[in-house]
């Protein structure tokens, strides 16, 4: 790999506070030169095929590593070099035999994954070389497409990684999950599980911006410290060492108004037992159930929904695609004003994707988990325009 | 017991189609005379105290039968003779040690129960002898009250039992549960469990009136026949002999838009697996969970709420008290026009209440389960006024 490691969580300021070497606002001359001359010799695609249905945690030998050459483009096609691959709990769900909100990944095909890339070559009228694009690009280095499913990105003065986080599916999930499904009211008590994770950490901060008391549940002292000291959560619970029901009772003396659920299982059951009247449970994810890492079986106390006249509702960020700019505009403003913090955890090299995925289930990632597949392109040309449009 | 057994499900017509002997529209001279001269000698109250927390099904020896004399009324008090006692699944929940939406019934006190009665004596300015009242009157013959929690009933030309059914908590539950929580749209597929029960049979019929395809799930061929032939449900499933997931797939080829859940457990799990996009699960009751009659543990597939962007929401009819007339007006109209059918299953004698309750959990009741505690009073004086007001 080449280039400067990306200081995503450090350089959010306009103007740049890091200066030379900041991967966001400045590129080395060598990197710029390299990009101006893309390698047009025979390209080799590296890719991971899913070749077995994982039992429990996905293991590297559920996948097969393949090197194949990339064919010349046909008319109407576009070639994308993948820069970042997003690793999300939902990847594990897609590996199962059963369809979920998307069909199961067929065995023998490239593992599905959300990615961000740069167009290297285009014979499609809608895309030009140098365009930043996003979509289900797959666990591979190159993606050839007829353009369907590719979304062009308008660059903003934010780190590129933000498009797979705050200004991507993670931001949409946190924003609409909390605001549209959870419907927070100032003064209410919001409990978030996996609260140091990519979605959870945003949810808690948005909750604070909306005037909620926020209690974050996470699995390490480091994460708890981060939530309390940097994110401003009112209380934190380390589920690995604390008694969850007792801690919820202590931190939520008037019950839980909103439980933003990323994990399901035992924490969901404890939250159900401690709901306030007319509580909302935002069913965002149930990571404890995806991997067989917790005994199967749901909460035995769903009758609490009746007792507390509570609502539990599932959603997917994809349903909010047509309202994405509404979220991104507000999220980007908060971010540029320093009101939202986030961390990225970048794993170098596509070859490490299968192993890295399990960190989500072990809780050993520290921030939005990404794989850097190739070097970042030049970025971002339209920062000034955005800044003057949205921040005055 | 004295008086004519009440032909609740037969005489809904105005004018009366039964004639002499109809408990609704005509009283025998003897009964009328008896009522005009209430027995003012020392009254004996019979009552059931809850004296042990049931394990599993409630048994008669969890209760103690008591006979005590009724004291003279103090100023501000009212004496109610209970005519009908309603037996509902929620009675079993109230017997547990844990509080639910109401506190647990304390051991050694009269078992809590919804009842309908007639005021025999009043030293309260808000009530007069002969008034029909409703409330948590308890498993007893006489209820002495300071008036709080008593609701006076304006008699309509319907059977008295209707006030503990269609025009009482059952009607409110079915009406607002389906319309306010389920939000049916014509053409949608509605699945109802315990669909031959008091609430379920109304829900299915209201669903039909709103243009839904209705599938009823019940536990006997007799119940299934009634739902199909008399209530007009589109399909029925006998859960005791059919494979529920397979039957749901067959009867709901495009998935379930609304699942009105009265039972929880395995049927809830099967419904979750077969939801349509943006489905609503109305969490009305989970009778399979109240009694330990099914292994504990909730549905293992709550992630389906996410996959289908579905909502599961609990409610209680009590929350709709201020909108009750809205429901009763429409329900009474439908009833008087012959568009709603219901059955009552009247058990004679307070002494049989503990045993009778278990019929709800065994599914052996055929209609709204009531206990006749004492004879019906004269009834209903204001039928004509109601008819001219609402049915022209």
């Amino acid at each position: 790999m080449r280039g400067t490691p990306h200081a995503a969580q450090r350089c959010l300021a306009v103007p740049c506070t890091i200066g030379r070497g900041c991967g966001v606002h400045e590129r080395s001359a060598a990197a710029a030169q390299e990009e101006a001359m893309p390698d047009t010799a025979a390209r080799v695609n590296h890719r991971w095929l899913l070749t077995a249905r994982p039992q429990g945690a996905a293991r590297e030998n559920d996948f097969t590593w393949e090197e194949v050459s990339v064919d010349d483009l046909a008319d109407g096609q576009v070639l994308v070099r993948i820069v970042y691959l997003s690793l999300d709990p939902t990847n594990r769900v897609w590996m199962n035999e059963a369809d979920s909100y998307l069909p199961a990944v067929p065995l023998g095909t490239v593992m599905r994954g959300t990615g961000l890339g740069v167009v290297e070559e285009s014979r499609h009228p809608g895309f030009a070389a140098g365009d930043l694009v996003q979509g289900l690009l797959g666990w591979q280095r190159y993606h050839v497409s007829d353009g369907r499913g590719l979304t062009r990105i308008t660059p903003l003065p934010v780190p590129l990684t933000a498009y797979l986080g705050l200004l991507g599916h993670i931001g949409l999930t946190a924003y609409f999950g909390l605001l549209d499904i959870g419907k927070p009211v100032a003064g209410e008590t919001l409990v978030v599980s996996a609260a140091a994770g990519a979605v959870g950490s945003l949810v808690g901060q948005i909750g604070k911006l909306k005037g909620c008391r926020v209690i974050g549940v996470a699995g390490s002292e480091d994460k708890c410290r981060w939530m309390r000291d940097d994110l401003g959560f009112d209380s934190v619970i380390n589920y690995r060492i604390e008694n969850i029901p007792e801690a919820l009772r202590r931190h939520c003396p008037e019950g839980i108004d909103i439980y933003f659920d990323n994990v399901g299982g035992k924490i969901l059951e404890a939250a159900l037992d401690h709901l306030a009247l007319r509580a909302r449970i935002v069913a965002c994810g149930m990571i404890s159930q995806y991997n067989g890492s917790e005994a199967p079986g749901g909460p035995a106390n769903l009758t609490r929904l009746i007792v507390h006249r509570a609502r539990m509702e599932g959603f997917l960020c994809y349903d909010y695609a047509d309202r994405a700019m509404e979220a991104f505009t507000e999220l980007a403003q908060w971010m540029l004003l320093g009101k939202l913090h986030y961390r990225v955890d970048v794993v170098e090299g596509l070859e490490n994707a299968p192993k890295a995925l399990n960190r989500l289930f072990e809780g050993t990632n520290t921030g939005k988990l990404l794989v850097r597949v190739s070097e970042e392109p030049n970025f971002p040309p339209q920062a000034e325009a955005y800044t003057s449009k949205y921040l005055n």
Side-chain angles (χ1 to χ4, degrees), chain A:
Chain A
M1 307 304 285
R2 60 182 181 178
T4 311
H6 199 80
Q9 68 275 44
R10 290 166 49 215
C11 184
L12 307 181
V14 182
C16 173
T17 57
I18 292 184
R20 187 160 184 83
C22 164
V24 179
H25 297 100
E26 195 197 7
R27 305 283 303 166
S28 73
Q33 188 180 8
E34 217 173 285
E35 247 146 44
M37 302 185 299
D39 180 10
T40 52
R43 292 185 183 87
V44 174
N45 195 13
H46 292 160
R47 59 193 195 183
W48 281 110
L49 309 181
L50 180 70
T51 45
R53 302 274 172 218
Q55 302 301 314
R59 292 175 309 168
E60 196 168 300
N61 58 11
D62 295 320
F63 302 88
T64 301
W65 176 260
E66 211 181 48
E67 294 190 15
V68 290
S69 62
V70 178
D71 293 337
D72 289 342
L73 292 188
D75 265 356
Q77 285 189 323
V78 54
L79 175 74
V80 180
R81 171 172 58 81
I82 293 154
V83 178
Y84 288 108
L85 178 67
S86 175
L87 295 183
D88 302 286
T90 193
N91 290 140
R92 177 63 189 80
V93 176
W94 295 339
M95 296 174 194
N96 290 333
E97 180 129 27
D99 295 344
S100 64
Y101 59 96
L102 289 179
V105 175
L107 289 183
T109 66
V110 176
M111 177 59 203
R112 184 189 292 139
T114 300
L116 178 141
V118 58
V119 172
E120 288 219 335
E121 197 184 330
S122 177
R123 297 184 64 184
H124 185 294
F127 298 92
D131 282 354
L132 284 177
V133 294
Q134 206 173 14
L136 291 170
L137 306 181
W139 288 21
Q140 56 187 346
R141 185 178 175 88
Y142 288 107
H143 174 89
V144 174
S145 158
D146 61 4
R148 280 182 293 189
L150 289 188
T151 304
R152 281 180 56 195
I153 288 171
T154 306
L156 302 178
V158 297
L160 203 52
T161 53
Y163 296 106
L164 293 175
L166 193 74
L167 301 184
H169 58 303
I170 300 296
L172 278 187
T173 300
Y175 187 89
F176 287 113
L178 180 62
L179 301 185
D180 207 62
I181 308 290
K183 299 194 190 305
V185 173
E188 287 192 325
T189 295
L190 164 66
V191 172
V192 187
S193 56
V199 170
S201 60
L202 285 181
V203 167
Q205 293 177 86
I206 299 171
K208 286 301 298 176
L209 287 166
K210 296 293 181 185
C212 293
R213 278 190 65 242
V214 175
I215 291 93
V217 184
S220 78
E221 286 303 290
D222 168 67
K223 290 176 180 176
C224 284
R225 204 165 26 243
W226 182 57
M227 297 190 297
R228 193 178 45 229
D229 298 344
D230 294 344
L231 305 188
F233 289 8
D234 297 279
S235 305
V236 295
I237 299 172
N238 181 341
Y239 72 85
R240 290 193 203 268
I241 59 175
E242 295 188 64
N243 177 305
I244 305 169
E246 188 280 320
L248 286 176
R249 268 196 301 278
R250 185 158 36 87
H251 292 303
C252 313
E254 294 173 37
I256 300 167
D257 295 297
I258 305 175
Y259 172 51
F260 196 103
D261 189 19
N262 289 306
V263 302
K266 293 296 168 203
I267 300 179
L268 170 60
E269 194 164 67
L272 277 162
D273 264 341
H274 206 56
L275 297 179
L277 205 62
R278 306 197 189 286
R280 289 81 72 198
I281 297 178
V282 183
C284 176
M286 300 196 179
I287 194 170
S288 71
Q289 308 294 302
Y290 298 167
N291 225 354
S293 56
E294 202 176 89
N301 56 349
L302 276 179
T303 53
R304 307 308 290 181
L305 292 178
I306 305 175
V307 169
H308 299 290
R309 294 75 143 173
R311 166 166 61 85
M312 180 167 185
E313 186 163 352
F315 74 104
L316 289 175
C317 64
Y318 304 107
D319 298 329
Y320 292 95
D322 59 348
R323 293 176 61 190
M325 279 316 294
E326 183 186 324
F328 293 156
T329 301
E330 192 158 24
L331 289 167
Q333 287 190 44
W334 282 331
M335 184 185 177
L336 293 166
L337 294 171
K339 292 181 174 178
L340 280 186
H341 302 268
Y342 83 108
R343 298 199 288 200
V344 291
D345 188 336
V346 179
V347 173
E348 294 292 338
L350 179 64
E351 63 276 17
N352 294 312
K355 275 200 300 279
L357 182 70
N358 288 321
R359 293 173 55 192
L360 293 168
F361 296 89
E362 296 154 0
T364 52
N365 59 307
T366 55
K368 174 68 195 101
L369 190 59
L370 300 174
V371 174
R372 189 180 348 243
V373 177
S374 66
E375 66 285 356
E376 288 198 7
N378 194 15
F379 175 83
Q382 299 181 16
E384 297 312 313
Y386 178 86
T387 308
S388 64
K389 180 169 177 192
Y390 289 109
L391 293 185
N392 287 333

